[in-house]
Amino acid sequence: GSVTQQQRCQDSRSECNTLLPPAMDNLTLEAAWRRFTPQDVNPRSCMARIWAQGRGDQCTGKRAAGSEFCDQHGVNKDGIERWRVHGRVDGPIPEHKLREFERHAAGDDLPTGAAKKKRRLFSRDALNNMDIPSLMKLMKEQDFHDNRWRELQDKLKTNSVAKSAVVDRLVKDQNDELWREVKRV
C-alpha cells in the first residue's frame, strides 16, 4: 500500500513538525521533492542531498568505509545522522526542509523588497560565439559555480573538455530551470 508522510516521518526518525495537508497525496509529494533532486545520481558518491543554493544536489564527498555517506553526512559522535537534514538524494526531503526549498525557489525567503536574481537566458549561438574567458565570466556571474559546475570549469580552463560540451550543459541547465519554474507556477 501507499506510505503516508506521517509513516515516513516515523519510520525515518526525522523531525517532521507538521504534516502535509491530506489533499497532498504521495504523487504530489514526490513531484515536489524531485524538483530539488539532480537528474543523475552518482551511486559511488555520498548519498546525502545538499542545499546547493536551494537547487538541491548530491554531496560529492567520498563514502566512508561501510557507509553510504561521507564523514560529513554520516553519523556523528553524538549518534546524529547528519544526512537527515536534507534527506537522501534518492529519496524524499523532510517536509520542513522541502518547504524551505520551495520558499527559496519562489523567492519568498528574500528580505522584503529584495528582488530574486534571475539568470539571463543565452542562445546556443551566443554561447558558442563567446571566447573561453567570457564564458567563464558568464558562468560566475550567472551563479553557475556550485559543485556541479566547478569540475567542468576547471576542465574548460585546461582545455580538457570541449567548449561545445560546456555550452550543451549550459543550454540544458537553462532548459531544466525554465521547466522547473513552469511546473512551480
Side-chain angles (χ1 to χ4, degrees):
S2 71
V3 177
T4 67
Q5 175 71 10
Q6 183 172 14
Q7 289 169 324
R8 243 191 321 275
C9 289
Q10 291 169 348
D11 293 346
S12 68
R13 297 185 315 259
S14 65
E15 296 181 15
C16 294
N17 297 331
T18 58
L19 298 177
L20 293 170
M24 184 172 240
D25 61 20
N26 288 339
L27 291 176
T28 306
L29 178 63
E30 182 173 346
W33 64 258
R34 287 215 180 268
R35 288 182 49 216
F36 306 102
T37 301
Q39 190 170 6
D40 299 315
V41 173
N42 182 345
R44 293 182 304 277
S45 292
C46 174
M47 294 301 288
R49 180 187 316 275
I50 59 173
W51 178 250
Q53 299 171 333
R55 286 190 297 277
D57 204 352
Q58 180 178 12
C59 172
T60 58
K62 181 180 176 190
R63 289 183 177 198
S67 176
E68 290 186 288
F69 303 98
C70 66
D71 289 334
Q72 180 181 348
H73 291 108
V75 179
N76 70 10
K77 62 180 168 63
D78 297 324
I80 297 182
E81 296 171 308
R82 291 171 289 191
W83 64 268
R84 291 191 183 275
V85 171
H86 297 100
R88 287 179 58 100
V89 72
D90 59 352
I93 299 171
E95 189 218 339
H96 65 283
K97 188 56 72 169
L98 177 58
R99 290 188 192 280
E100 192 175 328
F101 272 105
E102 290 177 331
R103 279 192 307 272
H104 184 79
D108 294 343
D109 61 346
L110 297 171
T112 305
K116 183 178 178 189
K117 181 180 177 184
K118 297 282 186 186
R119 288 184 179 164
R120 288 181 49 207
L121 295 177
F122 292 88
S123 70
R124 184 178 302 277
D125 287 341
L127 293 169
N128 278 323
N129 288 329
M130 290 182 185
D131 59 16
I132 290 177
S134 298
L135 194 56
M136 297 288 292
K137 182 178 177 187
L138 171 113
M139 291 168 74
K140 182 179 179 186
E141 289 173 352
Q142 295 295 308
D143 209 19
F144 289 100
H145 62 270
D146 62 5
N147 288 339
R148 298 182 305 161
W149 294 96
R150 257 184 225 117
E151 184 179 332
L152 197 58
Q153 289 171 334
D154 290 343
K155 288 180 178 180
L156 185 60
K157 283 184 214 173
T158 60
N159 292 320
S160 58
V161 67
K163 184 173 107 175
S164 61
V166 175
V167 168
D168 289 345
R169 182 95 181 262
L170 285 166
V171 169
K172 181 185 180 315
D173 196 79
Q174 288 181 142
N175 185 45
D176 292 348
E177 190 171 320
L178 280 171
W179 276 112
R180 278 192 301 272
E181 185 65 15
V182 166
K183 288 177 188 177
R184 187 185 70 78
V185 175

